[in-house]
Amino acid sequence: MNLWNKLMCYSRRHSPWLFHMNGGSCNGCDIELIASLTPRYDAEQLGVRLEGSPRHADILCITGPITSNAVGAIKTVYDQVCGPKAVIAIGSCPATTNVFIDSRTLAGPLNKHIPVDVFVPGCPPRPDAIILGVAKAAEILAERAGKKQPAEPIVMPLVGPGCGGACACGSSTEAKCEEVAQ
Ligand code: SF4
């Protein structure tokens, strides 16, 4: 690897820029993503930054069960993120469609449409779980910048109580996300 590639890998590993898309979520996961960037959890202190344009981002963060009318926009935005790039599915919805599983308006789960690198389970996942997921995606990104391709999507461990049984659908679990990722 030449010096330029080494520098790119280092930068991507230490300051990943995110673009956030809502694929029909209830906004619970979106609020937790924002909380992870605000002073209490302060992912920005680690170099993580939320970007307004997918063209400037390295990591695409997607929430929600992926409604039929969001699919086209998600694919377009995925293509607009310059490579190397990584995708994080935040919450149980993009992994399993979760409580919305029987809805006729859904086209999820997300990995039917674009490749997902990191699943962060939970309904919603805690901000510290999201930060761990971003750190893992940054690692994958640095590997990609160095021309290595990580093989399998990664399911992050459940941090905290997860859904706490609130939805009673039985799908908001780490095990279910693992099943979808395979
Ligand atoms: S995983 Fe839970 S909190 Fe997140 S969008 Fe789905 S229902 Fe809402």
Side-chain angles (χ1 to χ4, degrees):
M1 198 190 303
N2 64 29
L3 189 61
W4 174 250
N5 278 347
K6 275 189 189 159
L7 182 64
M8 291 294 282
C9 290
Y10 180 86
S11 310
R12 287 203 159 94
R13 176 81 185 79
H14 292 276
S15 183
W17 288 14
L18 316 180
F19 184 78
H20 166 224
M21 267 200 96
N22 179 330
S25 99
C26 72
N27 284 346
C29 290
D30 311 81
I31 289 166
E32 299 300 326
L33 174 61
I34 300 307
S36 71
L37 295 159
T38 50
R40 178 158 184 181
Y41 293 94
D42 211 3
E44 283 193 349
Q45 205 177 61
L46 308 172
V48 178
R49 181 178 150 160
L50 196 60
E51 262 300 308
S53 163
R55 297 183 199 281
H56 300 161
D58 305 302
I59 299 176
L60 189 54
C61 299
I62 301 185
T63 58
I66 318 303
T67 54
S68 325
N69 64 358
V71 170
I74 287 172
K75 285 183 179 167
T76 304
V77 166
Y78 176 79
D79 290 338
Q80 285 173 345
V81 179
C82 303
K85 55 190 160 191
V87 176
I88 310 180
I90 296 181
S92 298
C93 277
T96 66
T97 65
N98 199 7
V99 283
F100 305 104
I101 196 159
D102 292 325
S103 169
R104 64 191 162 83
T105 62
L106 289 192
L110 179 62
N111 61 353
K112 265 171 53 184
H113 305 285
I114 58 170
V116 177
D117 298 293
V118 179
F119 289 93
V120 182
C123 181
R126 290 179 51 81
D128 24 16
I130 294 173
I131 293 172
L132 282 176
V134 170
K136 181 48 81 182
E139 230 174 73
I140 291 171
L141 206 57
E143 284 175 14
R144 285 208 176 123
K147 311 282 183 223
K148 277 192 236 155
Q149 284 300 329
E152 300 293 331
I154 291 161
V155 179
M156 299 304 290
L158 202 55
V159 174
C163 68
C167 63
C169 76
S171 68
S172 302
T173 63
E174 200 180 326
K176 182 72 181 176
C177 286
E178 262 165 22
E179 194 184 300
V180 172
Q182 276 156 16

